[in-house]
């Protein structure tokens, strides 16, 4: 089963500490070697984004930046046995932020990516 973890946080004024980036790289290597990590990347700020919507039969496009204080800043796609395993990999990622970047706050949503098994 595939799961996507979306990291939402307030963009801090300081860059991540070097130790955090090393921990993220190691965690990514561990997840890749375990066959769990399919893809991961950081995302640009909403100033480079657009929203496409439909309301009242009309299609709208709104360019960023958007007013939310928190933005989705990265994602990871896992191919794992179950939600618990996806939550465990995501928790490891969040613990690295907590332990290595004092004062940092954020959250990750772990969402199941629908596959053929969901339409049987």
């Amino acid at each position: 089963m595939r799961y996507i973890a979306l990291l939402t946080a307030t963009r801090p004024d300081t860059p991540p500490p070097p130790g955090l980036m090393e921990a993220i790289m190691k965690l990514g290597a561990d997840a890749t070697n375990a066959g769990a990590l399919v893809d991961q990347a950081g995302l640009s700020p909403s100033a480079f984004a657009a929203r496409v919507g439909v309301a009242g039969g009309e299609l709208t496009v709104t360019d960023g930046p958007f007013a939310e204080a928190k933005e989705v800043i990265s994602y990871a796609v896992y191919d794992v046995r179950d939600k618990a395993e996806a939550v465990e990999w995501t928790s490891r990622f969040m613990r690295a932020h907590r332990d290595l970047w004092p004062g940092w706050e954020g959250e990750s949503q772990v969402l199941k990516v629908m596959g053929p098994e969901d339409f049987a």
Side-chain angles (χ1 to χ4, degrees), residues 52-75:
V52 180
V54 174
E58 297 294 318
L59 182 71
T60 59
V61 178
T62 306
D63 288 326
F66 306 116
E68 294 87 0
K70 293 189 175 207
E71 296 188 27
V72 178
I73 62 174
S74 70
Y75 73 92

Side-chain angles (χ1 to χ4, degrees), residues 7 37 55 61 63 76 93 102-103 107 113-114:
L7 174 63
L37 185 62
V61 178
D63 288 326
F93 181 80
E107 70 179 11
V113 177
M114 295 180 78

Side-chain angles (χ1 to χ4, degrees), residues 9-114:
T10 302
R11 290 194 183 270
D13 294 331
T14 59
L20 176 62
M21 298 313 295
E22 291 168 15
I24 290 171
M25 297 297 288
K26 181 178 181 331
L27 180 59
D30 291 348
T32 299
N33 292 337
L37 185 62
V38 174
D39 188 27
Q40 68 175 355
L43 299 172
S44 296
S46 69
F48 300 100
R51 286 187 177 151
V52 180
V54 174
E58 297 294 318
L59 182 71
T60 59
V61 178
T62 306
D63 288 326
F66 306 116
E68 294 87 0
K70 293 189 175 207
E71 296 188 27
V72 178
I73 62 174
S74 70
Y75 73 92
V77 178
Y78 297 105
D79 190 357
V80 292
R81 291 181 304 272
D82 54 27
K83 182 173 83 172
E85 188 177 356
V87 168
E88 176 55 31
W89 284 112
T90 304
S91 295
R92 291 175 63 184
F93 181 80
M94 297 300 284
R95 277 193 295 276
H97 282 76
R98 178 198 65 198
D99 295 347
L100 299 170
W101 198 346
W104 183 88
E105 293 184 357
E107 70 179 11
S108 285
Q109 292 184 47
V110 179
L111 305 165
K112 186 178 184 306
V113 177
M114 295 180 78

